Amino acid sequence: MKASKVVIYEFNPIEICEHDAPGATKVTLERGRTPAFVYWYRPAVRFDEGTRIQYDGRWPKAFYNFVPLVLWSDGSLWAEASAFILSRLELLVDPDMLTLSCHAEDLAEFARFIEVTDEKLKEVGGFDWLTFGAEKHRRPTYKFRFELGHRILSNTMSVSRAKRCMGLVIRFYRWLIAECALNTGPNSPWVEGESYVEYKDSTGFSKGKVVKTTDLKIRIRKADEPWSGTIDDGGKLMPLSHEEQDALIACLRELGNTEMRLIFLVSLITGARIQTVLTMRLKHAQLPLHSGGSVSINTGPGTRTDTKGKVKAVLRIDMVLYEQLRTYAHCQRAIKRRNKAPGGDHIEQYLFLSNRGLPLYESKEDSQRRHSERGMGRTQRLGNTVRKFMRDYLIPKMRQKLQSPDFDMQYHDLRATFGLNYVDSQMPLVSDKRKTHSKVMDELRTLMWHKSYTTTERYLKYRENWQFYEDATAGWRAHVAKLAGESGT
């Protein structure tokens, strides 16, 4: 067994207290023939008749679901790493457990490095991750940085993952120094410096800021790939061609899964991410219809529909598609699924449910309700049913229809396809000078909820670069053919 992350389904924070404190519970630990060790604890926060009772004036939650912690290889808890993760919970009103899960994965990676290094150095006294010697290369932070660099060179870890791991370990040590009074002695875990970073703000203006940096930073810059065929928008996305889009629609219709057809259409036509589509509610398919070509749905905090980064935004759905959503919401198939769902058929129920009445993606708000209230089991649902449908049914069928055995796609590619479709539809207007590039970019940024103009620019540059690539390669192929012909005469 190796050091690993473990997820606690329901975690109730407790605190050690005196035996006569309100709500105290006694614990006895037997230690063989020695006297037993006895202590008392109580919930860090408790509720009495619906009223919140505070012990010390703090305002942490009474419980958390899906809390990630870190274990050593012998199954014991890595106290410092787990305390670091739990400290994140207390700082946030609505903690993102997926982010904390990534933190736990990275700290588990560091824990595995510590244990392997300790085993290698056993003959010379082992390895202490809290000791910082005079020689830089022997300090735990620099040794881990060297290890990550080696993994990048050996292609066993991606650059992005290595950067994320190193960044979190630095944050972890900063927390130990600030909150736990870790004394590293005269030798620093790293050498700090400053760097100037340029970026574009939400209005498109170039700005810059000074940020703290360390000599542990992994400085491997990945060159842009203008001909890679991907767009960097929350991942490397591959827009579907018009032929692939036609095949997608045809395959979804032939497969006959109503929910999946609508789910894919919503993302393809609106650019919405999977968590937004799958956390739509019944009420969103029952909005009053007005004159116009689309319906606006509020999403984000306070709407029970998730968005990336908890941004509050408006999802605009074409009227033709919205009519299909309304029809589906009132059909017997959907009603039957809602009647099986926890809470039954009500206005706040998920619009898309499995045939057992379970959500395909559990919203952040619902995932943090108690088990007795949720009624959804111990597995956090994050769209895996949709991905399984793609892997087992949709992609194989599209490969057959396209006669392309290498065809592949990810759900998030639908978002990139929407963005590129919008750009293509607006370019004739730009050519006729009825719209400007900046106007198109501003509209696309609003539709796709981009925080930065830089991300939106990638869609315009993608199409421009691809056209340039097509023209350039056509000319190069003609030139090569000419050279080949001349050499053969």
Side-chain angles (χ1 to χ4, degrees):
M1 179 179 175
K2 297 180 179 180
S4 61
K5 174 192 76 174
V6 63
V7 177
I8 305 300
Y9 171 69
E10 185 171 291
F11 177 78
N12 298 281
I14 62 172
E15 60 186 14
I16 305 302
C17 64
E18 298 295 332
H19 71 280
D20 56 351
T25 299
K26 182 180 179 180
V27 176
T28 302
L29 298 177
E30 298 290 345
R31 293 188 170 184
R33 297 180 180 178
T34 61
F37 180 76
V38 178
Y39 70 93
W40 284 261
Y41 75 89
R42 64 182 177 182
V45 178
R46 65 186 175 91
F47 292 85
D48 287 349
E49 297 179 355
T51 303
R52 191 169 189 134
I53 306 297
Q54 293 299 129
Y55 288 126
D56 59 3
R58 295 179 302 159
W59 289 89
K61 286 183 63 176
F63 69 93
Y64 299 93
N65 290 333
F66 308 111
V67 175
L69 302 175
V70 183
L71 302 182
W72 294 109
S73 60
D74 63 1
S76 62
L77 186 72
W78 185 5
E80 293 88 349
S82 299
F84 169 71
I85 293 171
L86 294 178
S87 72
R88 306 296 95 185
L89 292 177
E90 293 188 351
L91 291 174
L92 301 172
V93 175
D94 183 21
D96 187 339
M97 293 304 177
L98 292 179
T99 299
L100 293 178
S101 184
C102 288
H103 291 350
E105 284 283 4
D106 293 341
L107 288 175
E109 189 72 53
F110 185 44
R112 289 190 286 270
F113 162 76
I114 292 171
E115 291 189 323
V116 169
T117 307
D118 184 55
E119 181 65 25
K120 289 180 179 179
L121 300 177
K122 184 179 293 185
E123 293 183 1
V124 292
F127 174 69
D128 185 358
W129 64 277
L130 292 174
T131 299
F132 293 84
E135 297 175 297
K136 260 189 179 183
H137 70 279
R138 296 186 183 277
R139 299 174 197 170
T141 46
Y142 287 96
K143 287 187 76 69
F144 187 56
R145 168 64 179 83
F146 177 82
E147 172 65 18
L148 293 177
H150 175 73
R151 294 187 189 183
I152 292 172
L153 293 176
S154 62
N155 203 32
T156 57
M157 179 179 283
S158 67
V159 174
S160 59
R161 175 73 198 283
K163 287 183 175 180
R164 194 185 79 186
C165 281
M166 193 70 253
L168 186 71
V169 168
I170 292 172
R171 286 178 59 189
F172 176 48
Y173 276 107
R174 287 191 193 278
W175 177 81
L176 288 171
I177 293 169
E179 301 293 332
C180 303
L182 172 64
N183 183 7
T184 63
N187 305 310
S188 175
W190 52 74
V191 177
E192 289 203 345
E194 292 182 344
S195 62
Y196 186 77
V197 177
E198 292 185 348
Y199 65 97
K200 288 189 177 181
D201 64 13
S202 59
T203 59
F205 288 99
S206 295
K207 290 188 175 181
K209 62 180 179 180
V210 176
V211 297
K212 284 186 177 181
T213 186
T214 74
D215 61 344
L216 295 173
K217 183 177 180 180
I218 297 175
R219 303 180 184 276
I220 298 178
R221 187 176 68 86
K222 191 173 183 180
D224 292 333
E225 299 180 62
W227 320 128
S228 66
T230 62
I231 298 175
D232 190 358
D233 182 6
K236 294 293 184 181
L237 310 183
M238 179 78 74
L240 301 181
S241 66
H242 291 296
E243 180 187 6
E244 290 167 344
Q245 292 178 57
D246 291 341
L248 172 68
I249 300 302
C251 290
L252 286 170
R253 184 171 57 250
E254 292 170 12
L255 287 169
N257 189 312
T258 306
E259 289 78 18
M260 292 299 171
R261 182 179 66 82
L262 291 174
I263 288 167
F264 278 77
L265 281 177
V266 172
S267 282
L268 181 62
I269 294 175
T270 69
R273 292 182 171 88
I274 189 170
Q275 64 262 46
T276 301
V277 179
L278 298 186
T279 55
M280 289 173 61
R281 308 289 170 156
L282 176 61
K283 64 182 180 182
H284 294 137
Q286 296 182 344
L287 297 175
L289 299 178
H290 303 290
S291 58
S294 64
V295 173
S296 297
I297 296 176
N298 292 323
T299 62
T303 68
R304 305 196 71 189
T305 299
D306 287 358
T307 56
K308 182 181 179 181
K310 301 176 185 177
V311 62
K312 296 201 72 167
V314 176
L315 182 67
R316 293 184 176 88
I317 301 181
D318 179 83
M319 190 63 73
V320 175
L321 176 58
Y322 190 74
E323 287 285 7
Q324 294 184 42
L325 294 176
R326 281 173 63 90
T327 301
Y328 170 74
H330 292 92
C331 74
Q332 285 302 311
R333 179 185 174 102
I335 293 173
K336 184 178 179 180
R337 295 187 177 209
R338 291 199 297 271
N339 284 330
K340 294 180 182 178
D345 188 357
H346 58 89
I347 200 70
E348 294 290 342
Q349 188 58 265
Y350 290 93
L351 178 60
F352 298 114
L353 297 163
S354 72
N355 56 10
R356 293 186 295 159
L358 297 174
L360 303 178
Y361 197 111
E362 199 173 0
S363 72
K364 291 185 177 71
E365 179 182 340
D366 287 344
S367 70
Q368 289 308 309
R369 289 164 52 205
R370 280 192 181 275
H371 172 62
S372 59
E373 298 171 356
R374 294 166 66 242
M376 296 178 189
R378 293 176 174 267
T379 303
Q380 190 174 15
R381 289 167 174 79
L382 300 172
N384 289 336
T385 301
V386 175
R387 298 183 184 95
K388 187 176 187 303
F389 171 80
M390 290 180 64
R391 182 181 68 249
D392 295 347
Y393 302 102
L394 182 59
I395 291 177
K397 194 168 186 64
M398 288 190 67
R399 286 173 177 170
Q400 182 180 17
K401 187 171 287 291
L402 292 167
Q403 296 182 354
S404 174
D406 297 327
F407 171 81
D408 202 2
M409 66 173 288
Q410 55 182 327
Y411 186 89
H412 209 36
D413 290 339
L414 299 174
R415 175 173 170 80
T417 305
F418 162 78
L420 201 60
N421 283 346
Y422 185 80
V423 169
D424 289 344
S425 70
Q426 299 302 303
M427 284 302 100
L429 300 178
V430 174
S431 299
D432 295 341
K433 297 185 178 180
R434 286 182 286 171
K435 268 190 180 181
T436 63
H437 270 89
S438 60
K439 176 66 175 175
V440 172
M441 191 162 66
D442 189 58
E443 290 174 351
L444 182 60
R445 188 182 70 86
T446 301
L447 288 170
M448 300 192 74
W449 312 341
H450 286 153
K451 182 179 180 180
S452 169
Y453 265 91
T454 302
T455 305
T456 312
E457 282 180 333
R458 293 175 184 143
Y459 284 87
L460 275 74
K461 289 181 178 179
Y462 177 91
R463 182 53 78 207
E464 292 172 357
N465 287 342
W466 193 253
Q467 186 59 52
F468 177 77
Y469 171 73
E470 288 290 317
D471 294 343
T473 53
W476 174 248
R477 285 193 297 268
H479 180 61
V480 169
K482 180 183 177 182
L483 293 176
E486 292 175 350
S487 66
T489 58

